[in-house]
């Protein structure tokens, strides 16, 4: 998350994420699932612009997104007011580029950016650790963004241990035109008798060993997402057929990503997908870790 202050505006660039590993460990009494996941932030950004105002207001470049109190940006702003007693308002503009309901944590990163941006705008002087810890109350993926670019996340996803990212990783994202409901995917997950540990992929990441990372990519939610939306399986095969180092679904979908050996290889993979984009209505994005 990058923050700049210019004249009256605070602008925050809010990155998306992908999951290199996601194991579901069990169902919890509160309805959530305990998970263990390795997340990395990528160079695909929403932009949020904050300015002082009497009221809290939100406008968005994407008319399909609600700008009502259910929007995570306004939930984050209200949470910050409640926790600090701050009575100030803000006008917030959100420029949406991260696909929604796509497993890229677009809403979560916007919420994290809101906490960081308003903390600065309102002069609250909360630490990143304080912002991260309050953010878990409104979404499991939000605390990660205070510890990006790479972290090992457990609990609901909100317990975050930063990880070393010694080299940038190159990706191609295949973003279908449809989103997938996260609760629906979790409802369809088959709990593993023997959960896979993420030790090996964490070690491969720390050693910058892309071939091993590629072999160890794992997402327990991918089969569940394919049950909810069978086209996920077709897209996964289409991506694997381009023979990148590895490929996987991100989060609860619908985005699939290819992990590539280099930017050149990512360009090749994207070019191989291009002829199928129109017929299958997906977008292709070349990106890399932050
Ligand atoms: O925390 P967040 O609002 O992102 O979660 C959305 C939904 O995804 C939850 O209501 C729950 O159904 C499911 N979920 C889960 N276990 C997690 C994270 C999310 O079951 N660790």
């Amino acid at each position: 998350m990058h923050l700049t202050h210019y004249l009256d505006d605070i602008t925050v660039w809010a990155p998306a994420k992908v999951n290199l590993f996601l194991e579901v460990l069990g169902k919890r009494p509160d309805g959530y699932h305990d998970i263990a996941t390795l997340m990395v932030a990528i160079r695909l950004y929403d932009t949020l612009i904050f300015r002082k105002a009497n009221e809290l207001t939100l406008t968005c470049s994407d008319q399909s997104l609600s700008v009502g109190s259910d929007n995570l940006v306004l939930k984050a702003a209200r949470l910050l007011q409640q926790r600090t007693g701050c009575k100030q308002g803000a006008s917030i503009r959100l420029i949406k580029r991260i696909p929604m309901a796509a497993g890229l944590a677009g809403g979560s990163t916007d919420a994290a950016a809101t906490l960081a941006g308003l903390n600065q705008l309102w002069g609250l002087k909360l630490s990143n650790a304080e912002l991260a810890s309050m953010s878990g109350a409104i979404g499991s993926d939000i605390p990660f963004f205070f510890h990006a670019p790479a972290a090992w996340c457990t609990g609901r996803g909100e317990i975050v241990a930063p990880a070393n990212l010694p080299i940038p990783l190159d990706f191609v994202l295949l973003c279908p035109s449809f989103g997938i409901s996260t609760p629906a995917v979790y409802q369809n997950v088959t709990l593993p008798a023997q959960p896979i540990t993420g030790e090996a992929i964490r070690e491969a990441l720390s050693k910058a060993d892309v071939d091993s990372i590629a072999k160890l990519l794992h997402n327990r939610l991918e089969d569940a997402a394919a049950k909810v939306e069978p086209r996920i399986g077709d897209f996964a095969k289409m991506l694997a057929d381009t023979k990148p180092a590895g490929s996987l679904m991100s989060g609860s979908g619908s985005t699939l990503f290819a992990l590539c050996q280099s930017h050149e290889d990512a360009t090749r993979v994207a070019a191989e997908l291009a002829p199928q984009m129109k017929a299958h209505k997906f977008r292709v994005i070349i990106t890399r870790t932050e």
Side-chain angles (χ1 to χ4, degrees):
M1 173 165 29
H2 307 282
L3 199 146
T4 59
H5 201 159
Y6 180 69
L7 300 177
D8 291 338
D9 288 339
I10 288 174
T11 302
V12 185
W13 278 265
K17 61 82 179 157
V18 295
N19 306 70
L20 301 177
F21 176 94
L22 193 164
E23 183 60 299
V24 180
L25 306 174
K27 188 152 190 213
R28 306 163 28 140
D30 62 6
Y32 282 85
H33 292 77
D34 275 317
I35 62 168
T37 183
L38 182 58
M39 301 214 269
V40 291
I42 55 171
R43 297 181 186 187
L44 168 64
Y45 300 94
D46 286 346
T47 311
L48 293 95
I49 303 154
F50 303 88
R51 186 177 287 193
K52 282 189 177 165
N54 293 329
E55 305 284 315
L56 258 183
T57 57
L58 173 64
T59 55
C60 180
S61 61
D62 186 330
Q63 304 302 318
S64 70
L65 185 65
S66 156
V67 288
S69 53
D70 55 329
N71 189 298
L72 268 178
V73 167
L74 289 178
K75 281 193 186 173
R78 299 244 154 76
L79 178 76
L80 195 59
Q81 286 178 325
Q82 278 162 18
R83 296 282 173 101
T84 62
C86 176
K87 301 266 188 300
Q88 299 184 64
S91 82
I92 308 173
R93 280 187 287 153
L94 168 59
I95 300 161
K96 207 67 210 152
R97 299 188 196 87
I98 303 171
M100 293 184 272
L104 299 172
S108 299
T109 194
D110 294 345
T114 300
L115 293 174
L118 293 179
N119 183 46
Q120 181 102 352
L121 188 79
W122 293 341
L124 299 172
K125 297 198 167 66
L126 296 177
S127 67
N128 268 355
E130 287 170 310
L131 296 173
S133 122
M134 75 169 72
S135 72
I138 54 169
S140 310
D141 282 347
I142 306 173
F144 161 73
F145 290 100
F146 294 96
H147 302 278
W152 176 248
C153 307
T154 53
R156 285 185 286 122
E158 89 287 13
I159 303 169
V160 184
N164 200 10
L165 185 64
I167 47 153
L169 299 174
D170 287 285
F171 298 105
V172 176
L173 309 185
L174 188 166
C175 305
S177 56
F178 55 85
I180 301 193
S181 146
T182 301
V185 172
Y186 272 103
Q187 271 160 28
N188 277 278
V189 78
T190 306
L191 294 175
Q194 297 248 286
I196 299 175
T197 85
E199 283 306 312
I201 194 165
R202 291 170 76 182
E203 194 178 332
L205 183 67
S206 72
K207 289 185 179 154
D209 178 352
V210 176
D211 277 332
S212 296
I213 298 168
K215 285 196 192 91
L216 294 163
L217 293 173
H218 166 74
N219 185 349
R220 184 66 62 188
L221 299 177
E222 191 163 331
D223 289 347
K227 272 190 228 160
V228 175
E229 177 44 84
R231 284 176 287 174
I232 288 292
D234 304 335
F235 286 132
K237 182 169 183 316
M238 209 179 281
L239 194 54
D241 283 348
T242 65
K243 304 261 181 296
S247 58
L248 194 72
M249 187 182 80
S250 183
S252 55
S254 57
T255 299
L256 298 141
F257 68 86
L259 171 62
C260 300
Q261 277 292 358
S262 62
H263 178 69
E264 288 67 33
D265 199 41
T267 308
R268 177 194 64 78
V269 167
E272 286 193 27
L273 292 170
Q276 307 171 77
M277 275 167 55
K278 259 212 178 125
H280 296 279
K281 293 202 185 83
F282 60 78
R283 284 168 61 198
V284 172
I285 298 171
I286 297 175
T287 187
R288 65 179 0 188
T289 45
E290 273 212 295

